[in-house]
Amino acid sequence: DYSHWGHSFSHLSEVDEERIYMDYNATTPMDSEVVETVTVAIREAWANPSSSYLPGVKARDIINQARESVSRMVGGKPEDIIFTSGGTEANNLVLHTAVKHFWQSREVAEREGLDSSQQNGRTILPHLIISSIEHDSIRLTAEHLEKEGKAEVTSVSVSKVTGQVEVEDVVAAVRPTTCLVSIMTANNETGIIMPIKEICQKVRAVNKQRPLPRILLHTDAAQAIGKIRVDARDMGVDYLTIVGHKFFAPRVGALYVNGPGTISPLYPLFFGGGQERNFRPGTENTPMIAGLGKAAELVNTHLSEYETHLRDIRCYLEERLLAVFGADKIRFNSNFPGSDNLPNTCNISILGRGFVGRRVLATCRRLLASVGAACHSGQVDRPSRILLNCGVPYDVATNALRLSVGRSTSREDVDIVVEDLKQTIDVLERMN
Ligand SMILES: O=C(O)CC[SeH]
């Protein structure tokens, strides 16, 4: 029974006390109802969804039921959902599409004599605008395109006052060759929520004033879904990335596309048997897609309850940390005045030499958390790029701990974790 898996690793604690998991921004366990849905689909929906006989039709129906649930979760229509292997594939699909869209637009512009993106003989390349705190699947993909001479990239810095990307800075970065703005909905380390709706409004206004290429709008909603309301249409994006393992679903994902191939362009990364309307071919992973759909159903039904619980636990955590360590000993790296942040994310630093985040976590007996993005966990020698880009001082970022709570995290868990941290700091203080 995994129902308590959410906040403990009992099977890992044969020799020591039960661990308390507070790294839900890294990944989440599958909800028990999702496990059940996946298990049933593995047993009963293994037929090829493209097969015309009844078992195949049943598998296809399961996929389309999941598509409907996922589309409802992000405020879209079922036809707007393209299933992928996860967030990295979805993000790569968006950047690939933007580059292709640029060249298609130039062909149209030249044919119709509308082209104004001449750059005085300079090589013309698609221009992408991202933020300086994006997940690596955006940052490194953009960097790769730039290194290959296939795109130019502007990485817009976040404000050190708000921790947010400033709308004006995004608009100021626009060039005649800009074809994509991609800004994450909320950051995985600070939890700060970005002004996506305002950015889309301004960029759409720019689009109205200029000839091709239309600037496409994308947000990576990986960290926001399941924690706060995410509505792609309300935000005004053309694309929105959905990542299952951040909201208690299997490790698959999806890309929301506003009218794929009609309103918004979408060019496949690879070719095959025609699945997903040729946008993302490959025989469908029915059980995992069924699980994604179930997890989306749970979000559609319980989001308000989830958000309230997460916020209560995160606030209690911050309250206890402040009470135990005192204002001169602890810094809250997620708290930027005036900026909203995710209800579950608490990024702190225990101030002082010898309290390096990784060392604190390695000494803790109960807490399982991280100093930042899991995909950076190998970078042991330097603090989080994201925190530094948000203006957190180097020595404070070096001591950062990212605590991200989940649906089953309790106040009792918080008490245990805060006591664990207090004892750990006492031990390290004696060692200093
Ligand atoms: O740990 C994170 O923040 C991202 C992992 Se995909």
Side-chain angles (χ1 to χ4, degrees):
D1 172 9
Y2 287 85
S3 58
H4 293 292
W5 215 81
H7 68 275
S8 72
F9 282 80
S10 50
H11 61 292
L12 293 183
S13 59
E14 282 78 14
V15 293
D16 57 23
E17 293 163 290
E18 192 171 83
R19 289 289 191 166
I20 307 289
Y21 184 70
M22 281 198 183
D23 205 14
Y24 287 89
N25 286 7
T27 195
T28 62
M30 282 193 228
D31 182 283
S32 53
E33 289 185 58
V34 171
V35 172
E36 179 59 24
T37 299
V38 170
T39 305
V40 169
I42 286 172
R43 288 206 189 98
E44 299 173 13
W46 48 267
N48 189 319
S50 299
S51 301
S52 53
Y53 40 70
L54 187 57
V57 171
K58 280 189 170 178
R60 190 159 61 246
D61 288 349
I62 286 172
I63 289 169
N64 287 329
Q65 187 181 341
R67 198 185 307 277
E68 198 283 328
S69 299
V70 172
S71 67
R72 199 141 38 86
M73 179 176 71
V74 297
K77 295 183 287 193
E79 55 267 33
D80 296 335
I81 300 300
I82 309 293
F83 291 116
T84 67
S85 60
T88 294
E89 179 186 343
N91 287 343
N92 274 263
L93 190 49
V94 170
L95 270 64
H96 168 77
T97 287
V99 169
K100 296 276 287 185
H101 159 70
F102 174 85
W103 294 115
Q104 295 282 8
S105 301
R106 278 190 61 76
E107 274 180 36
V108 170
E110 280 162 5
R111 233 185 359 254
E112 297 175 7
L114 301 173
D115 181 39
S116 71
S117 53
Q118 292 303 333
Q119 291 189 316
N120 309 320
R122 271 188 52 210
T123 309
I124 287 181
L125 286 173
H127 178 234
L128 313 175
I129 297 173
I130 64 174
S131 83
S132 63
I133 57 169
E134 294 299 315
H135 184 269
D136 279 356
S137 58
I138 289 286
R139 179 174 70 93
L140 295 179
T141 306
E143 259 181 39
H144 173 74
L145 288 167
E146 193 166 46
K147 279 180 192 152
E148 298 254 309
K150 293 176 180 169
E152 294 175 323
V153 179
T154 298
S155 175
V156 175
S157 299
V158 295
S159 157
K160 296 188 173 22
V161 174
T162 64
Q164 288 182 315
V165 173
E166 298 296 311
V167 178
E168 301 69 45
D169 293 346
V170 173
V171 175
V174 170
R175 302 174 189 172
T177 53
T178 303
C179 58
L180 176 72
V181 169
S182 173
I183 308 289
M184 65 191 344
T185 309
N187 182 263
N188 48 325
E189 295 194 14
T190 63
I192 298 295
I193 297 169
M194 302 298 146
I196 302 301
K197 183 169 182 175
E198 295 78 1
I199 290 170
C200 290
Q201 284 169 342
K202 292 283 188 184
V203 172
R204 285 183 180 279
V206 170
N207 273 334
K208 286 188 178 143
Q209 305 298 321
R210 67 178 228 164
L212 298 174
R214 167 180 145 211
I215 302 170
L216 303 173
L217 291 155
H218 168 247
T219 189
D220 177 352
Q223 292 291 343
I225 288 173
K227 298 167 188 167
I228 59 172
R229 177 175 168 267
V230 171
D231 187 321
R233 286 178 184 281
D234 182 55
M235 282 198 265
V237 293
D238 298 305
Y239 310 91
L240 183 142
T241 296
I242 297 158
V243 181
H245 75 101
K246 307 294 184 183
F247 63 99
F248 299 80
R251 294 217 174 118
V252 288
L255 182 65
Y256 159 88
V257 185
N258 180 23
T262 53
I263 301 170
S264 308
L266 189 63
Y267 297 99
L269 279 166
F270 40 78
F271 301 85
Q275 295 83 358
E276 293 300 276
R277 291 159 280 164
N278 284 300
F279 292 121
R280 203 282 181 182
T283 301
E284 298 89 342
N285 189 342
T286 308
M288 299 307 152
I289 289 172
L292 190 73
K294 184 65 186 175
E297 257 179 59
L298 291 172
V299 172
N300 293 336
T301 307
H302 300 292
L303 180 60
S304 172
E305 174 194 332
Y306 292 157
E307 183 172 0
T308 302
H309 173 70
L310 292 171
R311 195 176 307 284
D312 170 67
I313 296 297
R314 196 278 314 280
C315 292
Y316 181 66
L317 173 61
E318 291 187 339
E319 182 190 301
R320 294 302 306 141
L321 286 166
L322 190 58
V324 166
F325 289 101
D328 60 345
K329 185 83 174 177
I330 189 167
R331 186 185 194 275
F332 291 96
N333 303 319
S334 303
N335 296 3
F336 286 85
S339 297
D340 286 336
N341 56 358
L342 291 174
N344 82 311
T345 305
C346 170
N347 194 305
I348 62 165
S349 295
I350 309 292
L351 304 178
R353 207 173 52 80
F355 303 143
V356 175
R358 287 181 180 84
R359 186 175 180 225
V360 171
L361 291 178
T363 312
C364 283
R365 294 173 50 83
R366 307 296 298 276
L367 172 61
L368 281 182
S370 58
V371 297
C375 31
H376 296 166
S377 51
Q379 295 169 358
V380 291
D381 57 345
R382 56 182 182 277
S384 157
R385 157 185 75 82
I386 288 173
L387 291 182
L388 296 176
N389 286 343
C390 290
V392 177
Y394 192 93
D395 59 337
V396 176
T398 301
N399 288 16
L401 301 170
R402 179 184 67 174
L403 307 179
S404 46
V405 299
R407 293 173 190 172
S408 56
T409 306
S410 65
R411 287 190 167 213
E412 182 200 2
D413 293 331
V414 168
D415 292 338
I416 293 170
V417 159
V418 171
E419 179 57 26
D420 187 23
L421 280 168
K422 182 178 180 306
Q423 290 178 16
T424 297
I425 296 300
D426 290 347
V427 165
L428 295 177
E429 225 148 28
R430 286 197 295 276
M431 289 164 67
N432 280 347

